Amino acid sequence: MDTRSNSHSLAFEVTHWLVLSIAIPMTLGFLTTPLLGLTSTAVVGHMGDPEALAGLAIGAMLFDLILGSFNFLRASTTGLTAQAYGRRDQHEQQAVFARALISALGCGLALLCLSPLLRAAGLRLMGAEGAIAEATATYFSIRILAAPAALANYAILGFVLGRGQGGVGLLLQALINGINILLSIYLGLSLGWGVAGVAWGTLAGEVAGALAGLFIVLSGFARAERPAWPEIFSRHRLAALFALNRDILIRTFVLIGAFAIMTRIGTGFGAVTLAANAVLMNFFLLSGYYLDGLANAAEQITGRAVGAHYRPAFDRGLKLTTLWSFGLAAIVSAFFLLAGPWLISVLTTSPEVRQAAGTYLPWAAVTGLTGALAFLMDGVFIGATWSVDMRNRMLMSFAGYLAMLGVFVPLFGNHGLWLAMNAFLLFRGFFLAMLVKPRADQTFRAAQ
């Protein structure tokens, strides 16, 4: 009886505005990322040194791989914070943030210590030599200094998203990328530092974002709710956090592997087809920005509902985020189908690549639709911290993807490759969606 009364007192209403107040700011924040990449490329490109530009591209790719592997810090923090927020447990919210921040700083310092090995392995992996290797090493050696701040930003972003503070998330993303862009232009072009200037700009942006984020988060903490060190380092809580992070990390590696396999198979179709696939993948990445924003909304609302033990909010949140995800996916897919030829002409001047990209355009245009449920379900399962299911269903989807590749690539070539990728996205979404009702029934029944 007490539990039902407490659940009723923690009830909250899920509206379209609540969904969009989280999704829109984060989508806008994510959209600053490609602008940052374009700026860095333009800065170094204006130096007139192709080796430096190639070195920058390799260095940026290595950091996307390294730092992307630690995205579990953001995801797990969002889910755990949202649940504590749903319970209105300010004490545990502070404890979750402390654990996440300590984990992030520890991982960042470990990357610093391992940086010589990581740099050497990266250069060997990418086959960089001569001036290209020198440019990559310069960029890597400077940017790796930002690792603790960059990972701290993951924890900070996860925390503010868990509390539904999409506007704060947008502010921090804009600050990080804005400083990065301005300093990259100033240091790289005005002072002529080139690749080093871009790297220092990135370092400054990450540090400024971390300091601002820490100030915003810590200034909102009540001293009376501050957890003691034994609570922060509780063996039970840490074990749960590590298990959650492990499952999300495995899921991330499998996802990276799926896209790496697609690229590797694409190389066998020749340079023109490989380039066309690279152009078309931009359409999927652009679709991913708004899908990620809605997944963030699903994370927060789902986690909050689980923490509050309030099933109506869970069901309503799932309904509204699904509606917005598929509605926007349909609009964006139609846009890419209609405007795709023009966008392709903007992204490449090669007639052969344009023709090839136009041939495979429909496959890329519908990735927003085929991937909508996958992104959304990731958000739901992260918010509810059903990480074991998310990990296992990702492995099942990957197995189905490999089977599709084995059957359809020999039959249809690059068409088969894109078919398998779209099937992989569908597998991820439907395999998880099948579990939502039984897992929700189990979770909310246990809470009564």
Side-chain angles (χ1 to χ4, degrees):
M1 183 173 181
D2 290 340
T3 301
R4 286 195 298 270
S5 176
N6 184 56
S7 297
H8 181 71
S9 69
L10 297 176
F12 64 99
E13 184 180 2
V14 179
T15 63
H16 289 284
W17 171 245
L18 177 61
V19 171
L20 296 179
S21 69
I22 302 170
I24 292 176
M26 291 317 303
T27 298
L28 294 175
F30 293 144
L31 286 174
T32 63
T33 301
L35 180 61
L36 173 61
L38 289 172
T39 302
S40 300
T41 301
V43 167
V44 177
H46 275 78
M47 302 297 291
D49 185 351
E51 287 81 8
L53 187 58
L56 171 69
I58 291 174
M61 185 184 303
L62 290 175
F63 273 96
D64 287 343
L65 178 61
I66 293 171
L67 296 181
S69 300
F70 288 89
N71 189 54
F72 61 82
L73 290 167
R74 187 211 62 77
S76 62
T77 305
T78 298
L80 294 172
T81 300
Q83 291 185 19
Y85 182 74
R87 295 192 301 271
R88 299 181 188 172
D89 187 347
Q90 296 185 24
H91 188 78
E92 181 58 20
Q93 288 178 51
Q94 291 194 35
V96 167
F97 179 71
R99 294 184 199 107
L101 184 62
I102 291 169
S103 298
L105 294 175
C107 291
L109 291 173
L111 288 177
L112 277 180
C113 294
L114 295 171
S115 60
L117 293 176
L118 292 172
R119 183 177 63 240
L123 291 173
R124 182 182 295 272
L125 176 67
M126 302 305 298
E129 297 178 348
I132 295 177
E134 183 178 346
T136 300
T138 298
Y139 179 83
F140 189 98
S141 299
I142 297 170
R143 189 173 171 184
I144 195 66
L145 299 174
L151 297 186
N153 283 323
Y154 282 5
I156 293 167
L157 182 61
F159 181 79
V160 298
L161 286 179
R163 291 174 52 84
Q165 298 172 312
V168 176
L170 171 59
L171 172 66
L172 294 176
Q173 289 294 105
L175 177 66
I176 293 169
N177 291 336
I179 290 176
N180 192 337
I181 289 170
L182 292 175
L183 282 182
S184 292
I185 293 173
Y186 176 69
L187 298 176
L189 279 181
S190 299
L191 298 186
W193 290 8
V195 171
V198 171
W200 283 114
T202 304
L203 171 64
E206 294 286 5
V207 172
L211 293 176
L214 284 172
F215 175 78
I216 292 171
V217 170
L218 296 179
S219 63
F221 283 166
R223 181 169 298 184
E225 299 291 343
R226 184 177 299 169
W229 287 109
E231 294 176 275
I232 294 173
F233 292 103
S234 162
R235 179 177 299 181
H236 170 69
R237 296 289 190 181
L238 287 176
L241 176 62
F242 290 150
L244 182 59
N245 287 339
R246 175 203 63 210
D247 294 335
I248 297 174
L249 178 62
I250 293 172
R251 170 253 180 202
T252 301
F253 277 147
V254 173
L255 188 60
I256 292 172
F259 288 108
I261 289 172
M262 181 179 182
T263 301
R264 179 67 185 85
I265 293 176
T267 60
F269 299 134
V272 171
T273 300
L274 181 62
N277 286 350
V279 168
L280 293 174
M281 279 302 294
N282 285 288
F283 296 170
F284 172 68
L285 294 175
L286 287 172
S287 299
Y289 290 123
Y290 75 81
L291 290 174
D292 263 336
L294 286 161
N296 289 153
E299 288 175 27
Q300 200 278 334
I301 294 169
T302 297
R304 184 178 174 186
V306 169
H309 303 155
Y310 189 55
R311 179 68 180 269
F314 179 93
D315 293 337
R316 176 71 171 166
L318 181 61
K319 178 181 178 180
L320 293 188
T321 51
T322 300
L323 177 67
W324 280 104
S325 292
F326 278 98
L328 290 174
I331 292 172
V332 173
S333 292
F335 170 76
F336 283 143
L337 283 171
L338 295 174
W342 175 77
L343 292 171
I344 290 169
S345 68
V346 170
L347 292 171
T348 178
T349 58
S350 168
E352 296 87 354
V353 175
R354 285 180 177 178
Q355 182 178 0
T359 300
Y360 305 112
L361 171 63
W363 292 112
V366 299
T367 53
L369 271 174
T370 57
L373 190 59
F375 278 81
L376 179 64
M377 287 297 105
D378 278 351
V380 170
F381 277 69
I382 287 171
T385 59
W386 298 332
S387 61
V388 173
D389 292 318
M390 187 170 65
R391 178 199 68 196
N392 292 344
R393 294 297 163 125
M394 174 62 86
L395 292 171
M396 289 171 57
S397 301
F398 186 68
Y401 172 59
L402 294 179
M404 296 286 285
L405 288 173
V407 172
F408 291 108
V409 170
L411 290 175
F412 304 118
N414 199 52
H415 284 290
L417 182 60
W418 277 101
L419 171 61
M421 175 51 65
N422 277 279
F424 175 58
L425 296 173
L426 288 171
F427 290 156
R428 287 175 54 204
F430 282 113
F431 286 167
L432 287 174
M434 291 167 57
L435 283 180
V436 170
K437 188 180 186 305
R439 288 293 177 266
D441 290 343
Q442 182 182 31
T443 297
F444 289 100
R445 188 184 304 118
Q448 293 177 353

